[in-house]
Amino acid sequence: MHSYDLAIKGGTVVTAADQYRAEIGVRNGKIVEISENVSGARQEIDATGLLVLPGGVDGHVHMSQPTDDGTIMADDFESGTRAAAAGGNTTVMPFALQIKGKSLRACVEDYHKEAEGNCYVDTSFHLIVSDPTPQVLGQELPALVKDGYTSFKVFMTYDDLVLSDAELLDVFQVAKEENALVMVHAEGHDAIKFMTRKLEAAGKTAPFYHGQSHSRVAEREATHRAVSHAELVDVPIVIVHVSGRDAMEQVQWARKRGLKVYAETCPQYITLVEDDMKGLNMDFEGAKYVCSPPPRDLDSQAAIWEGIRDGTFDIFSSDHCPFRYQGSGGTGKDNPKARTSFKWVPNGIPGVETRLPIFFSEGVTKGRISIQKFVDLTSTRPARLYGMYPQKGTIAIGSDADFALWDPGMQKTITQDILHHGSDYTPYEGFKVTGWPVKTVLRGKVIADDGRIVGEKGYGAYMSRGFSDAF
Ligand code: DUC
Ligand code: ZN
Ligand code: ZN
């Protein structure tokens, strides 16, 4: 008779607050003992020399998301969660997108069908509200929040997603009444369109000019507008994918006024720069780095690190939004329309598998942040902010037995051939990191082991959530 299904022995347990030598006993997928010595387990993992971290919680990923321009997202739930598992994650949060003119509830149900039986890690969905009709605002959203979809994203740009200021305010008001958390894509639509027209008229159509069209001014202005609307309604919001100093200063301004404004940043904003979108010689290769908001410059990277250290940023997510570079039949980044103008290049880059190693290496290994901060921004804080804590995001008695066993000294070079995503490239090709997830454990089962996926497809479960700790 075994007391435990699994014991993790010999490692150093790390949480957002602490670090100590301990062994962990797991029963029925939950952590049931943390002590100096755990024995009597059916399976033992020797974690000598390893850090035992809570499994990564990626609060912002896109997979199997419908598009309206003939492109296809490179990851469905199977490949996207496979990549997530290999990268040390145990929970990911993709977006159930409301297709304009369609009921949000029906879109959520369709999205569940895509996920069901296909996941290697646990998932929970945010919603994207693209069509806030009276029916959506008055009935569907309140009912969905009650069913555990306690966060939704709104967009201030993109023809098919943009909400007017009046619509933003209406959605914020529903969020306030229902205690839901709104995530805001803050880039000003008219300013982007204005710059796009000017650039195109001057013949500047290469992918590089995406960065100039999605200017830091447009991001700053929209961030200010979003936090002002949040002040008016008196509701907490999250500004997602903050790219640099300009938008970050608006978050800090809001905080100084006592507003509950939370902020997210992503790997691309500490590693990539606008010039990456030049490709080799202003050629189309630059499309591999096109995402929104776009990467900025070295000063912006330095600003993001300041913001990470001083607490401006609450969460560090991947914004994994993968497209193939060469998709068949014009479904990838390199498609005939995109060759005519940057404005048709699908926005987004893959990153769910590389988020943790890049942040660990650039942050912890290089001495910019503590390992507690790393755990907080990549697991604990997203779990709290999105209503999954303490089931997810920590190592404690009663929590899910989700771990990333981390070798802090392992050196790796990121290349496409070691990754598990559905994209045919990585924007981080050749990037060297120190620190790597060698095993990922989800609810007591090893799902990834030294780059091999050993979990079962379908073991990843859907989680309905409680309320955010932002309220
Ligand atoms: N916004 C995202 O959050 N992800 C990718 C593209 C975008 O505009
Ligand atoms: Zn966005
Ligand atoms: Zn995104």
Side-chain angles (χ1 to χ4, degrees), residues 99-133:
I99 294 166
K100 249 196 180 130
K102 232 177 127 171
S103 121
L104 182 51
R105 173 70 76 173
C107 295
V108 171
E109 279 164 11
D110 288 347
Y111 203 51
H112 272 292
K113 286 188 199 127
E114 294 282 329
E116 203 152 313
N118 287 321
C119 295
Y120 288 94
V121 302
D122 288 351
T123 62
S124 191
F125 301 165
H126 305 291
L127 311 174
I128 290 175
V129 182
S130 66
D131 198 4
T133 59

Side-chain angles (χ1 to χ4, degrees), residues 41-348:
R42 190 172 329 123
Q43 183 193 356
E44 287 188 353
I45 295 176
D46 178 8
T48 305
L50 301 180
L51 304 172
V52 183
L53 313 180
V57 176
D58 196 335
H60 184 159
V61 303
H62 304 266
M63 38 193 73
S64 276
Q65 195 173 294
T67 56
D68 67 349
D69 61 355
T71 61
I72 298 179
M73 200 154 268
D75 276 318
D76 55 15
F77 279 91
E78 180 176 347
S79 61
T81 60
R82 189 174 67 201
N89 301 283
T90 47
T91 307
V92 295
M93 304 187 70
F95 295 82
L97 165 78
Q98 179 193 20
I99 294 166
K100 249 196 180 130
K102 232 177 127 171
S103 121
L104 182 51
R105 173 70 76 173
C107 295
V108 171
E109 279 164 11
D110 288 347
Y111 203 51
H112 272 292
K113 286 188 199 127
E114 294 282 329
E116 203 152 313
N118 287 321
C119 295
Y120 288 94
V121 302
D122 288 351
T123 62
S124 191
F125 301 165
H126 305 291
L127 311 174
I128 290 175
V129 182
S130 66
D131 198 4
T133 59
Q135 163 78 11
V136 166
L137 293 169
Q139 276 118 55
E140 292 200 19
L141 271 179
L144 284 161
V145 174
K146 286 180 183 73
D147 288 349
Y149 304 90
T150 50
S151 50
F152 24 92
K153 184 174 177 192
V154 291
F155 284 77
M156 297 173 77
T157 188
Y158 295 127
D159 287 333
D160 52 338
L161 295 170
V162 61
L163 301 191
S164 68
D165 285 335
E167 290 172 323
L168 288 171
L169 286 159
D170 283 342
V171 174
F172 284 15
Q173 181 62 32
V174 173
K176 179 184 169 68
E177 283 158 18
E178 303 299 331
N179 286 347
L181 193 56
V182 186
M183 308 160 74
V184 184
H185 180 121
E187 290 188 290
H189 194 50
D190 286 348
I192 291 170
K193 287 212 299 199
F194 171 78
M195 285 304 292
T196 300
R197 269 198 310 275
K198 260 177 70 156
L199 288 160
E200 286 181 337
K204 296 177 172 176
T205 56
F208 171 70
Y209 296 105
H210 168 77
Q212 293 184 10
S213 67
H214 284 246
S215 66
R216 54 187 87 201
V217 176
E219 187 185 359
R220 182 184 70 206
E221 175 277 324
T223 304
H224 184 83
R225 197 151 33 100
V227 301
S228 300
H229 292 345
E231 179 175 4
L232 206 57
V233 176
D234 185 24
V235 68
I237 58 169
V238 188
I239 304 293
V240 292
H241 46 49
V242 172
S243 73
R245 193 180 294 282
D246 288 76
M248 188 180 91
E249 284 174 354
Q250 297 303 313
V251 171
Q252 291 166 336
W253 177 86
R255 293 255 185 93
K256 278 197 206 106
R257 296 170 69 85
L259 305 179
K260 284 190 177 175
V261 172
Y262 298 85
E264 173 200 76
T265 193
C266 315
Q268 50 270 39
Y269 308 122
I270 55 166
T271 51
L272 305 179
V273 289
E274 182 178 27
D275 280 357
D276 287 320
M277 289 183 287
K278 284 184 175 165
L280 292 176
N281 184 20
M282 289 299 263
D283 63 4
F284 198 79
E285 286 276 315
K288 290 180 175 174
Y289 305 89
V290 166
C291 58
S292 287
R296 306 293 183 189
D297 59 11
L298 294 179
D299 174 64
S300 284
Q301 292 186 3
I304 295 289
W305 280 114
E306 279 167 34
I308 288 168
R309 277 194 297 268
D310 72 15
T312 302
F313 291 106
D314 300 281
I315 58 175
F316 189 88
S317 316
S318 66
D319 194 5
H320 179 75
C321 188
F323 292 89
R324 290 178 65 83
Y325 183 65
Q326 298 290 353
S328 60
T331 56
K333 291 233 179 206
D334 189 0
N335 67 68
K337 245 169 112 177
R339 287 267 174 177
T340 69
S341 168
F342 59 84
K343 78 176 175 207
W344 302 114
V345 176
N347 284 196

Side-chain angles (χ1 to χ4, degrees), residues 380-419:
T380 311
R381 207 71 195 85
R384 297 179 85 110
L385 200 60
Y386 296 126
M388 295 183 285
Y389 186 87
Q391 183 181 346
K392 300 294 188 189
T394 193
I395 296 178
I397 304 287
S399 294
D400 282 1
D402 295 349
F403 311 106
L405 301 193
W406 199 274
D407 182 342
M410 186 178 277
Q411 299 186 343
K412 283 264 185 192
T413 301
I414 295 172
T415 52
Q416 166 67 7
D417 64 303
I418 64 167
L419 299 178

